[in-house]
Amino acid sequence: IVINELSGVVTPFCVAIGDNTELDILNIISNISGSSGHHVGVSEDQIGRKYLPELKQGIVCVSLDNMVNKFNLPFPNHIKIDTDGLEEEILKGGRGVFKNPRLKSVLMEVTGINEAGVRVERFMRNIGFGLTHPINLQKKHSRFRREKAGKGFIRNLIFTRN
């Protein structure tokens, strides 16, 4: 924000989107820029491996429905979800937003551990989204590269309203 001279234009908040509105702990696996696997509430990464957090930080968790309705945020037309295994919690706490026809697309990194990916895709299909976006089928799509590397349990998918 400072480097890009956006102070006063962009206001960051340390808020997690989930299925409830509550105070919790954000367990940060590593303080290295770009690291992943951080988790709210428990110290385990997106594939269930336990870790000793490098940092624990208090965080306010808010459901997506509350973010939009209680805090009067503009209704989203497009949403990106990349939460290292917490996709189902976000979907559960945002049922109203996800069911609303004003939401046109969702780009989501889906973790397929314990059939979570199957449940996420079923949820999205049941509320009117499909995987027909052409990027999902490109041969150089990250989904196919990860499958070749043995990491096919994490997929980036674009859901669009049918």
Side-chain angles (χ1 to χ4, degrees), residues 1-13:
I1 293 170
V2 172
I3 291 171
N4 290 302
E5 298 177 2
L6 293 172
S7 183
V9 177
V10 175
T11 304
F13 289 91

Side-chain angles (χ1 to χ4, degrees), residues 75-93:
F75 193 88
N77 300 111
H78 309 281
I79 293 177
K80 179 182 190 293
I81 301 172
D82 184 346
T83 58
D84 297 339
L86 297 172
E87 302 84 31
E88 290 181 280
E89 287 86 349
I90 291 171
L91 294 174
K92 181 179 172 188

Side-chain angles (χ1 to χ4, degrees), residues 15-22 61-76 79 81 87-103 106 123 127 129 161:
V15 177
I17 305 297
D19 57 350
N20 293 306
T21 298
E22 61 191 2
C61 301
V62 181
S63 72
L64 185 57
D65 285 344
N66 277 344
M67 281 293 274
V68 171
N69 299 321
K70 280 191 172 186
F71 300 115
N72 297 317
L73 293 179
F75 193 88
I79 293 177
I81 301 172
E87 302 84 31
E88 290 181 280
E89 287 86 349
I90 291 171
L91 294 174
K92 181 179 172 188
R95 288 182 203 273
V97 169
F98 289 103
K99 288 180 179 180
N100 191 307
R102 291 184 288 170
L103 181 62
V106 179
F123 175 90
I127 60 170
F129 283 89
R161 183 138 338 251

Side-chain angles (χ1 to χ4, degrees), residues 14 25-45 51-59 84:
C14 188
I25 299 294
L26 173 62
N27 294 290
I28 299 174
I29 194 168
S30 171
N31 208 19
I32 296 171
S33 179
S35 60
S36 65
H38 318 298
H39 215 284
V40 174
V42 296
S43 302
E44 59 183 48
D45 66 12
Y51 63 85
L52 182 62
E54 186 171 314
L55 174 67
K56 289 186 173 205
Q57 176 176 325
I59 193 161
D84 297 339

